[in-house]
Amino acid sequence: MISRFIKGSLILAIVFLIALVGAFIYAYQEVELDADQLINYSPEVSSEILDRHGNRLAYVFKKRHRLYATFDELPPRLVEALIATEDTSFFEHSGVNPDAILRAIVADIKARKFVEGGSTLTQQLVKNKLLSSRKKLARKIKEAILAMKIENVLTKEQIIERYLNEIAYGNNYYGIKTAAQGYFHKDLKDLTLKEIAILIGIPNAPSYYNPRRHYKRTLNRANAILYRMKSLGWITEAEYRRASKELPKIYRTSLSQNIAPYVVDEVLRRFKGKFGDIRTGGYKIYTTIDMRMQKAGREAVKAGYDRLLKRYKENPKKTNLNGALIAVENKTGDILSLVGGVDYRKSAFNRVTMTRRQPGSAFKPFIYQTALDMGYNPASKLTDLARTFQYYKNGKRRIWAPKNYERDFKGFITLREALVHSRNLATINLVYDIGVETIRKRLMLLDVKNIPKDMSIALGNLAISPLKMAQIYTVFSNYGHMIEPRLVSKIVSKEGAVLYETKPKEIVDFTRPEQAYLMTSILEDVIKRGTGKKAAVKGLELAGKTGTTNDGVDAWFCGYSPSITTIVWYGRDNNRPIGRRATGGSVSAPTFADFYRSLLKIDPRMPRQFPVPEGVYVGEVDGHKELYTKISPLPRPGSGDFLDEGFTPPPPPKNAGKKSEHNGSGREKEGGGALPLDDGAAEEVESVQLSGGNGSENFDSYDRTGGEIVDPLHPPHRPPEKVGEDSGSMF
């Protein structure tokens, strides 16, 4: 009877054991999917945005800021400190430590609640990555099963690597590498023993042991870890004493501090949806920005903004004044500085790339370059007299009578002087002489959108971004070749593979080098004695043009040195006038000068003189020296006509055009901007007609290359040579 009972009990126990083993095997197989998240570990890793020299501009991430560290990057002392603190028998067990579990069970029974976990390092990793932190029996069983599953697949080194990259260290730092750089501004290999102990102690209670808020408490925790290491014989008494006395410096600045937010936002916008989420792939994104020049640009824009606030007595908390700057390397198109606004904290809107404003007179050089390429010379005479135009809007006849900013007339003025002093009427008459359609076809090569089909083109009546202005101004600064601006040079994956790389790209050959140099010489005079005198910088040759739109709504200065092109803009975000007498020459030119003074300090060896290309000569007309080329010969003395084709130019002198002598008033006033129709709606012109001695004539349909010459002062000129039509795209 007894033996039968024993036999039955034994069978029952075996059945129970089999069922238990079966349930365990089933559960073990069921957690395979969960375990895969650790076996094939691929956490979100912060990406790093760098300048052209490898200096960090910012870290970008989605929710968790994590920098990944491989096991080989972990100092041996750091691994020892971790094992000594969290799981001394880590290298002996298979994921679960029975002795620790028994001790925990006894402690829990005595307390009649869960007070001790008995978890191994592997179990802690499973809990942090895959399970909740609530102490429930079901969770503990699953945790143990997952730990054994992980240990069966991964090496001990792989488990430590995952643990130290997954764990939280407070202040949104995830991973030991992130915490080391965040708290100590150090790489892992440079950490002291005390700093290692501090980092190992934080994850136990990140808020409680936050070294920024509870420094003394953090030190006590670190010293306890050091004592544990000494007790195990893993450090000497001398090492313990020396480390215990150390007081490491804790940095309070955020590791994710963004020192170029407009740049970072533009990078993220540019690559949104590419390479997955650019913020979480652990990429190194190399921009073309120079951190020093970025700082110089930001300070220059802020200084100009402060001058405006003082000038117009405005409260910085209430004003809607703003400014922007972009600087591009002439030869490469690399964007060296991009300042999208005065204060990113007040407005993240990027006024360099996302806004389109009227450039006013800053657009005139492209009209004048077209004239030069058709055979005009800087000494060619233009008519600076009033003309009245009639046009029809909504079936009603209206009159446009443009004026010079100075409200006067010069009669006849050379092309050079007209641009140097930004004479509106001379420009309008030049456009009439050349023909609007000829200019439009020419400007289309620059990939400029919405070019006006009427005379308002003469005064820059179109919408364009500072970024686009920087691009098209490289036509002059790069000796006729327009360069595509680029912000990102390459992107490297966390494995070190180059995923994206760009090279400087010339978009179009707009004109010849010698023709572009003629314009540079004129724009140098704009700064030396024209509307842009406040842009001058001692010891550096600069060329540029002011731009001001109606009522001072937009104030521009667009210019360049022999190596860098820079666009400066100021205005109000609500498109209202800046203030009384706010012009590009008075508002933006000083910022341009401030920026280049800083550049000279940053790089004293930067090129300071414009090289003179072949094919540029110096001659004399009406008692003044002037530059000329084969395409743009000198006019006959006392007229606007050209010299005979048989004229033999003298040999090119040294430094041609560097010391040319020109007369001019040197006044700081400049031409107004967009065409001022009744309510400023210049873009709505449907047709414009010239009213003159011979009646009205539609200037858009007039043939400027042949037929009758209506204005005997302006003979027809050769159309510019055909150039490539590949206009490219931004970036």
Side-chain angles (χ1 to χ4, degrees):
M1 187 77 172
I2 294 175
S3 61
R4 185 180 297 174
F5 176 76
I6 293 173
K7 185 178 180 180
S9 298
L10 185 60
I11 293 172
L12 186 63
I14 292 172
V15 171
F16 178 77
L17 183 61
I18 291 172
L20 185 62
V21 171
F24 185 86
I25 293 173
Y26 175 78
Y28 188 85
Q29 293 173 340
E30 281 291 298
V31 300
E32 185 172 354
L33 185 62
D34 288 337
D36 186 67
Q37 295 182 52
L38 278 173
I39 294 170
N40 298 305
Y41 186 57
S42 182
E44 291 185 353
V45 179
S46 302
S47 291
E48 191 174 7
I49 298 180
L50 308 163
D51 81 344
R52 68 190 323 194
H53 302 298
N55 301 308
R56 185 188 313 119
L57 298 178
Y59 283 117
V60 291
F61 51 91
K62 195 171 183 179
K63 293 181 180 178
R64 296 182 173 187
H65 183 21
R66 177 185 287 110
L67 305 177
Y68 197 87
T70 63
F71 185 82
D72 292 339
E73 293 180 71
L74 305 176
R77 286 294 196 201
L78 192 151
V79 176
E80 291 173 355
L82 173 66
I83 301 304
T85 306
E86 299 296 337
D87 190 356
T88 309
S89 61
F90 173 72
F91 286 99
E92 283 77 48
H93 64 67
S94 298
V96 177
N97 187 342
D99 293 338
I101 291 175
L102 288 175
R103 288 195 303 269
I105 290 174
V106 171
D108 292 344
I109 290 174
K110 288 181 178 180
R112 295 184 179 181
K113 60 180 180 179
F114 290 110
V115 294
E116 190 172 323
S119 296
T120 63
L121 196 68
T122 312
Q123 287 175 282
Q124 291 180 46
L125 174 61
V126 168
K127 180 185 71 175
N128 282 302
K129 178 64 178 175
L130 306 177
L131 305 174
S132 70
S133 59
R134 297 182 65 185
K135 292 184 177 181
K136 287 188 175 182
L137 182 60
R139 195 269 294 168
K140 294 295 292 182
I141 293 173
K142 189 173 183 180
E143 177 187 289
I145 294 171
L146 279 166
M148 288 187 285
K149 177 78 172 180
I150 296 297
E151 290 263 1
N152 190 46
V153 179
L154 301 178
T155 66
K156 292 289 186 179
E157 290 78 11
Q158 288 174 322
I159 292 171
I160 290 175
E161 179 181 312
R162 284 159 173 73
Y163 179 89
L164 288 174
N165 281 293
E166 181 63 28
I167 206 80
Y169 287 85
N171 292 290
N172 204 30
Y173 296 159
Y174 285 82
I176 191 80
K177 185 175 183 178
T178 322
Q181 291 196 10
Y183 291 126
F184 304 118
H185 289 192
K186 288 184 177 182
D187 292 329
L188 292 172
K189 61 182 177 61
D190 299 322
L191 293 173
T192 66
L193 183 57
K194 184 60 167 286
E195 290 167 342
I196 285 172
I198 289 174
L199 294 178
I200 294 300
I202 292 174
N204 186 261
S207 296
Y208 189 77
Y209 292 120
N210 187 326
R212 291 178 180 167
R213 290 183 289 178
H214 309 295
Y215 186 65
K216 186 175 181 180
R217 186 185 297 168
T218 303
L219 293 180
N220 291 337
R221 168 69 173 163
N223 288 340
I225 292 172
L226 293 171
Y227 184 81
R228 171 67 174 165
M229 294 179 72
K230 186 192 73 135
S231 300
L232 293 171
W234 292 359
I235 60 173
T236 65
E237 180 73 26
E239 287 176 317
Y240 168 71
R241 289 181 179 178
R242 185 166 56 251
S244 297
K245 295 177 182 178
E246 185 184 344
L247 301 174
K249 179 180 179 180
I250 303 295
Y251 287 85
R252 298 186 176 277
T253 55
S254 171
L255 183 59
S256 58
Q257 185 177 13
N258 188 339
I259 63 174
Y262 289 108
V263 173
V264 170
D265 280 3
E266 189 62 27
V267 170
L268 295 178
R269 185 179 71 85
R270 177 75 176 91
F271 289 94
K272 184 178 181 180
K274 298 181 180 180
F275 312 113
D277 191 332
I278 196 74
R279 299 171 297 173
T280 61
Y283 302 108
K284 286 187 180 294
I285 305 165
Y286 291 87
T287 70
T288 59
I289 294 293
D290 185 302
M291 186 185 292
R292 301 165 302 171
M293 296 185 187
Q294 179 68 17
K295 182 174 183 288
R298 187 172 61 247
E299 291 175 348
V301 170
K302 181 62 165 58
Y305 170 78
D306 290 341
R307 285 192 293 266
L308 280 175
L309 293 181
K310 183 178 180 180
R311 177 175 175 178
Y312 296 113
K313 298 180 175 58
E314 294 195 22
N315 186 332
K317 295 182 179 180
K318 297 180 179 180
T319 186
N320 52 22
L321 279 167
N322 227 304
L325 177 148
I326 179 173
V328 174
E329 191 171 51
N330 297 345
K331 291 184 178 180
T332 65
D334 287 355
I335 298 175
L336 303 173
S337 180
L338 190 158
V339 183
V342 173
D343 189 345
Y344 181 85
R345 293 168 298 180
K346 291 175 63 177
S347 171
F349 183 77
N350 192 328
R351 293 154 188 84
V352 169
T353 63
M354 301 172 71
T355 190
R356 296 168 70 233
R357 308 286 289 234
Q358 291 187 358
S361 296
F363 198 72
K364 287 178 180 177
F366 299 98
I367 295 171
Y368 281 75
Q369 185 69 60
T370 300
L372 291 173
D373 294 343
M374 292 179 70
Y376 282 79
N377 180 274
S380 296
K381 296 293 180 63
L382 304 183
T383 308
D384 189 40
L385 293 172
R387 269 191 170 127
T388 301
F389 300 88
Q390 69 175 11
Y391 66 99
Y392 293 87
K393 182 178 179 181
N394 298 325
K396 294 182 179 180
R397 179 176 176 273
R398 298 191 180 185
I399 300 298
W400 177 44
K403 299 179 177 62
N404 283 322
Y405 184 90
E406 296 86 349
R407 306 292 178 178
D408 62 2
F409 311 105
K410 296 293 183 181
F412 300 116
I413 188 172
T414 66
L415 182 147
R416 178 182 291 272
E417 297 306 305
L419 186 53
V420 165
H421 301 291
S422 202
R423 303 290 289 184
N424 284 344
L425 294 176
T427 306
I428 290 167
N429 287 319
L430 176 63
V431 169
Y432 177 76
D433 177 35
I434 296 173
V436 172
E437 194 57 32
T438 299
I439 295 174
R440 290 189 75 251
K441 289 179 179 178
R442 178 77 165 156
L443 297 183
M444 285 178 183
L445 296 173
L446 299 176
D447 193 31
V448 175
K449 307 298 182 184
N450 302 315
I451 301 172
K453 297 180 180 180
D454 51 59
M455 291 296 289
S456 67
I457 194 174
L459 303 182
N461 178 38
L462 69 161
I464 195 167
S465 70
L467 175 61
K468 187 65 176 181
M469 286 295 282
Q471 175 178 310
I472 64 179
Y473 257 78
T474 61
V475 162
F476 310 127
S477 64
N478 202 42
Y479 289 81
H481 309 301
M482 186 166 72
I483 295 290
E484 181 178 46
R486 63 173 187 163
L487 184 59
V488 174
S489 58
K490 67 178 178 178
I491 298 177
V492 180
S493 71
K494 59 185 177 183
E495 293 80 18
V498 177
L499 303 177
Y500 174 90
E501 190 169 18
T502 61
K503 295 181 180 180
K505 179 182 176 184
E506 289 188 1
I507 300 177
V508 67
D509 291 331
F510 186 76
T511 189
R512 293 172 178 266
E514 66 270 23
Q515 293 301 108
Y517 183 78
L518 292 181
M519 179 56 63
T520 293
S521 74
I522 297 172
L523 297 183
E524 281 189 272
D525 276 353
V526 170
I527 293 177
K528 291 176 182 176
R529 56 190 181 78
T531 60
K533 288 194 296 184
K534 291 185 178 180
V537 174
K538 186 177 180 180
L540 179 64
E541 289 187 355
L542 294 167
K545 183 69 184 76
T546 53
T548 309
T549 58
N550 281 352
D551 301 320
V553 172
D554 298 281
W556 298 74
F557 193 87
C558 306
Y560 50 96
S561 73
S563 58
I564 296 172
T565 299
T566 302
I567 308 299
V568 178
W569 169 88
Y570 284 96
R572 294 186 183 274
D573 289 333
N574 63 355
N575 289 298
R576 304 296 296 172
I578 296 172
R580 187 171 179 270
R581 296 187 179 277
T583 66
S586 65
V587 172
S588 299
T591 296
F592 180 90
D594 287 345
F595 180 63
Y596 277 91
R597 290 189 192 99
S598 296
L599 295 190
L600 286 175
K601 294 177 182 178
I602 293 170
D603 182 13
R605 296 177 298 177
M606 67 182 293
R608 300 196 179 209
Q609 292 184 319
F610 290 107
V612 183
E614 293 183 4
V616 178
Y617 310 99
V618 175
E620 187 170 305
V621 59
D622 292 337
H624 301 289
K625 291 181 180 179
E626 184 54 87
L627 304 181
Y628 67 94
T629 65
K630 182 178 179 181
I631 295 174
S632 301
L634 288 170
R636 288 193 181 90
S639 75
D641 296 335
F642 297 103
L643 291 171
D644 294 334
E645 291 185 4
F647 174 78
T648 302
K654 295 181 179 180
N655 297 322
K658 295 300 177 183
K659 297 181 180 179
S660 57
E661 300 174 4
H662 305 288
N663 292 332
S665 63
R667 277 181 281 186
E668 290 189 46
K669 297 179 181 178
E670 60 179 293
L675 172 64
L677 302 179
D678 286 338
D679 51 4
E683 63 218 28
E684 297 182 14
V685 174
E686 296 171 358
S687 65
V688 182
Q689 293 183 324
L690 173 68
S691 296
N694 295 326
S696 296
E697 178 184 16
N698 187 306
F699 60 78
D700 268 339
S701 62
Y702 184 70
D703 181 6
R704 298 295 157 195
T705 60
E708 181 187 1
I709 300 173
V710 174
D711 186 349
L713 291 171
H714 297 183
H717 300 287
R718 299 181 299 274
E721 295 183 10
K722 185 177 181 181
V723 296
E725 296 184 358
D726 177 18
S727 60
S729 60
M730 300 304 291
F731 289 103

